[in-house]
Amino acid sequence: MSFQVFGIPVSRGVAIGRAVLVASSRVDVAHYFIAEAQIESEIQRALRARDVVAAELEALKQDLPGDAPHELAALLDVHLMLLHDDALTGATKQWIIERHYNAEWALSAQLEVLARQFDEMEDDYLRERKADLEQVVERVLSALAREQGHAPVDAASVVQRDFAGEDPLLLVAADIAPADMMQFKRSVFHGFITDIGGKTSHTAIVARSMDIPAVVGTREASRLIRHDDWVIIDGDAGAVIVNPSPIMLEEYRFRQRQSELERARLTRLRHTPAVTLDGERVELHANIELPADAAGAIESGATGVGLFRSEFLFMNRGGELPSEEEQFIAYKAAVEAMRGMPVTIRTVDVGADKPLDRMSASELRHEHVLNPAMGLRAIRWSLAEPSMFRQQLRAIYRASAFGKVRLLIPMVAHLGEVRQILESVKKVQQQLTDAGQAFTKVDLGVMVEIPAAAVMLPLILRHVDFVSVGTNDLIQYTLAIDRADEAVAHLYDPWHPAVLQLLSRSIAESVAAGKSVSVCGEMAGDPVFTDLLLAMGLRSFSMHPSQIPSVKQRILRADAARLARVLPQVLASEDPQREAQAVFASHKVTHSLQ
């Protein structure tokens, strides 16, 4: 029987294949009492399983591929911290000693205790860590089962299985742990479906980086779909169609072929300059996390790097910070790979959902309770660690001797922070001069992510060379919404009038001051917003390299002057999205691509 399941679309396109279910290893956990004489051996069983999982996670950290999103390394570190937290391992031991539970029962019992505690917590981010805790426990239970010789089918075993046949495979799971996602990046799966998750979940991040369709937050998919069912993933509509009829199957196969042809057609635009119909030239830059990503940026036709997320170099290091030399080598490699095109390096942005792995589990919990999204993160952390900050600045300035480098500071909200940054830059320049090390002029920019920065931007612009608007955080902070919280995810609205007013004003004020301005958040890479951003006067976009062709196509078909004339109607509307669709369509000139 054919049926449909709906969820959140997080990676576009159509995937068709047979379902591979990754069942939770918490199913059918053995429950039995042990004798007094068995207590010590049962504790050792639990500890051995914990150590096996720790070794697996450490191995995954060491084997992270070069194109892995930096968020995955941070999530692996969180899982390691939870694994060694005494609230889990110590309490599990007590269940064994006091109640004579077997290891599996003790671990499951403690999970239920902790899960209830997570549910009662007020902090949104910390509540979300319940899913991470469940994934850690599942891996330990799986290790215990393997030791007993009856391992369940879990994510790790699935990826190693040699599947027969040529049918494409789609992964279906309640959730997919970061550790397993790293293995799936090298696997045969053509799409992902999960019961939980949101647009910023690790499953969504990896799916987008792999450029394959994915739907998350389906709630019941893993329970309703059976192994080997034929499934269609509609990554555009957020729909999952199970056992489709022959007519529907053929329709989606046609859409799949059309999508492939469209991608092939867009590749022809790789070397075409992004110029609007009325002659406005637009820069399309790439967001990268590793020097090796620069090759993909070049291949996509990027005209520079608009955002090099340097925090990747600081994570997954067992608590050690990268040296100045190590950072210099990485920045230099990216600069040289871009062949003279500009590379914008953002100083380390840790905190919130990107904690350093040198934090202990208790420190991590303490930070989260204090609301980490508004705590010691990004430039606040850098200024609190002046030695580390100057070390990074020296590495960035040294790399400037090998190409065009721009320095970008995240989460600025105070003029006092700008002054401290300028003092640090001046001190670093003097240190390099005294040491006889070469460097050239480096433009200094700040990110507009906090509403305060947008409101006081004219004052900030007096001290900086350029501005980059981080729309993800700007939306989050403007609307007071945790974009990773499923309960309020529907309120995360890029079209909200307040967001558009801040965005439009930030672009206009930067242009009026003669300072370059770009957008590097999700809005920049979404063609739905291309006309809007052009109308606001934006002429520099930065996005994932895979998004560049579709955005370039929209630019080539747009008349920026006509779009700008109707922008006031959009900004004044109670429903900006609907108004934009109407007025932009009526004032747009299109042409067929040659």
Side-chain angles (χ1 to χ4, degrees):
M1 181 183 71
S2 179
F3 63 91
Q4 297 186 30
V5 179
F6 294 92
I8 302 170
V10 294
S11 188
R12 297 175 178 177
V14 172
I16 303 172
R18 290 194 179 274
V20 175
L21 265 66
V22 177
S24 170
S25 57
R26 291 174 62 194
V27 176
D28 297 329
V29 168
H31 297 78
Y32 56 88
F33 293 99
I34 60 172
E36 184 77 23
Q38 294 176 290
I39 289 177
E40 186 56 34
S41 62
E42 200 67 11
I43 291 172
Q44 292 305 313
R45 276 191 68 225
L47 294 177
R48 282 198 303 274
R50 179 202 64 184
D51 293 343
V52 165
V53 173
E56 291 173 353
L57 294 174
E58 289 288 356
L60 285 168
K61 284 174 57 180
Q62 297 300 319
D63 295 333
L64 282 173
D67 62 346
H70 68 279
E71 288 90 346
L72 286 173
L75 285 165
L76 286 174
D77 288 327
V78 169
H79 281 210
L80 278 166
M81 293 177 208
L82 290 170
L83 183 65
H84 290 290
D85 195 326
D86 195 61
L88 179 64
T89 56
T92 297
K93 179 179 175 181
Q94 290 306 115
W95 284 111
I96 296 173
I97 294 172
E98 296 174 7
R99 300 290 184 89
H100 288 209
Y101 286 173
N102 66 301
E104 292 89 341
W105 190 356
L107 190 60
S108 299
Q110 185 58 18
L111 172 60
E112 297 305 322
V113 171
L114 294 175
R116 286 194 296 270
Q117 293 176 3
F118 275 91
D119 288 338
E120 294 168 0
M121 291 175 178
E122 294 182 0
D123 184 83
D124 293 334
Y125 183 90
L126 192 53
R127 280 203 308 272
E128 289 185 355
R129 300 284 67 77
K130 173 185 172 182
D132 291 311
L133 177 66
E134 290 172 340
Q135 291 163 5
V136 167
V137 171
E138 288 176 13
R139 292 185 73 88
V140 177
L141 289 171
S142 179
L144 285 166
R146 290 198 300 271
E147 184 186 50
Q148 295 289 80
H150 51 269
V153 177
D154 65 1
S157 62
V158 165
V159 79
Q160 299 298 331
R161 185 174 295 176
D162 182 17
F163 288 93
E166 298 180 356
D167 292 335
L169 301 175
L170 309 181
L171 188 70
V172 183
D175 193 19
I176 307 173
D180 294 326
M181 285 302 297
M182 292 315 305
Q183 298 203 47
F184 294 151
K185 280 183 70 69
R186 301 186 291 270
S187 76
V188 295
F189 296 112
H190 290 239
F192 298 116
I193 304 166
T194 63
D195 293 347
I196 65 176
K199 287 184 177 293
T200 58
S201 66
H202 50 263
T203 306
I205 293 166
V206 174
R208 283 194 292 268
S209 73
M210 296 170 68
D211 199 20
I212 61 175
V215 175
V216 303
T218 60
R219 302 292 183 183
E220 297 289 327
S222 68
R223 186 179 66 83
L224 298 173
I225 300 173
R226 295 175 299 178
H227 185 74
D228 268 351
D229 277 349
W230 275 102
V231 175
I232 296 171
I233 298 177
D234 185 339
D236 299 300
V240 176
I241 303 162
V242 184
N243 294 322
S245 65
I247 294 176
M248 185 169 288
L249 190 61
E250 187 55 39
E251 177 185 340
Y252 271 95
R253 280 180 172 152
F254 175 76
R255 284 180 53 181
Q256 195 175 41
R257 290 192 296 270
Q258 290 297 106
S259 178
E260 291 169 356
L261 288 173
E262 176 67 11
R263 289 190 184 194
R265 190 172 70 89
L266 287 176
T267 60
R268 293 187 297 167
L269 301 176
R270 186 187 310 126
H271 302 300
T272 302
V275 181
T276 64
L277 292 176
D278 55 331
E280 291 288 327
R281 189 178 186 90
V282 180
E283 297 295 331
L284 295 181
H285 293 169
N287 297 342
I288 68 172
E289 284 116 25
L290 289 165
D293 295 338
I298 294 287
E299 180 65 21
S300 69
T303 53
V305 169
L307 178 62
F308 183 160
R309 298 183 177 97
S310 68
E311 56 268 15
F312 180 87
L313 300 174
F314 288 71
M315 296 178 178
N316 194 30
R317 302 179 54 87
E320 293 185 4
L321 297 178
S323 67
E324 177 184 329
E325 191 64 23
E326 182 179 348
Q327 291 187 65
F328 163 66
I329 291 171
Y331 304 145
K332 175 175 174 284
V335 170
E336 291 181 330
M338 291 307 295
R339 307 169 190 170
M341 289 182 281
V343 176
T344 303
I345 303 173
R346 183 176 69 184
T347 57
V348 60
D349 184 5
V350 295
D353 60 339
K354 295 175 286 188
L356 289 182
D357 48 353
R358 67 175 179 173
M359 295 177 180
S360 68
S362 60
E363 288 172 330
L364 194 61
R365 285 197 304 274
H366 178 66
E367 184 184 354
H368 291 159
V369 169
L370 296 178
N371 196 341
M374 299 185 183
L376 191 65
R377 57 167 296 200
I379 188 57
R380 299 172 182 179
W381 184 74
S382 293
L383 292 176
E385 300 278 352
S387 177
M388 179 283 301
F389 186 45
R390 288 194 296 270
Q391 187 180 68
Q392 181 173 32
L393 291 178
R394 284 195 299 271
I396 293 172
Y397 268 82
R398 288 171 60 193
S400 71
F402 299 87
K404 187 174 181 180
V405 172
R406 305 201 309 169
L407 174 66
L408 182 61
I409 310 296
M411 206 176 174
V412 168
H414 301 271
L415 280 177
E417 292 169 337
V418 176
R419 296 189 185 98
Q420 285 181 269
I421 293 163
L422 291 171
E423 290 174 5
S424 295
V425 165
K426 185 176 180 180
K427 184 174 293 186
V428 161
Q429 290 174 327
Q430 188 60 53
Q431 289 174 342
L432 293 176
T433 299
D434 293 343
Q437 292 183 310
F439 65 92
T440 60
K441 184 182 185 303
V442 175
D443 286 345
L444 173 66
V446 297
M447 292 195 72
V448 174
E449 302 169 281
I450 301 174
V455 171
M456 63 180 290
L457 189 56
L459 298 178
I460 294 177
L461 286 169
R462 299 174 185 174
H463 304 279
V464 301
D465 301 301
F466 69 97
V467 165
S468 184
V469 184
T471 53
N472 298 352
D473 273 337
L474 183 62
I475 296 166
Q476 173 171 250
Y477 290 130
T478 301
L479 303 182
I481 290 170
D482 183 348
R483 63 181 187 268
D485 186 346
E486 292 180 44
V488 294
H490 64 288
L491 298 174
Y492 182 83
D493 182 14
W495 288 101
H496 192 286
V499 172
L500 298 188
Q501 291 287 348
L502 289 175
L503 180 56
S504 179
R505 197 160 100 181
S506 297
I507 294 171
E509 288 173 346
S510 298
V511 172
K515 305 295 175 72
S516 63
V517 56
S518 67
V519 170
C520 62
E522 288 293 317
M523 288 178 70
D526 189 342
V528 169
F529 295 100
T530 302
D531 289 347
L532 176 71
L533 294 173
L534 288 172
M536 290 179 175
L538 188 71
R539 298 296 181 264
S540 179
F541 296 62
S542 191
M543 65 203 73
H544 189 278
S546 66
Q547 298 170 316
I548 289 177
S550 58
V551 171
K552 181 182 287 188
Q553 178 179 248
R554 293 295 290 261
I555 291 169
L556 293 172
R557 294 177 171 180
D559 186 313
R562 290 190 179 191
L563 294 173
R565 283 198 290 270
V566 295
L567 178 66
Q569 293 176 235
V570 176
L571 296 180
S573 173
E574 294 182 359
D575 189 344
Q577 184 173 9
R578 179 179 295 179
E579 187 71 17
Q581 290 171 344
V583 299
F584 287 164
S586 64
H587 285 76
K588 190 171 182 180
V589 178
T590 62
H591 74 299
S592 59
L593 295 176
Q594 303 299 319

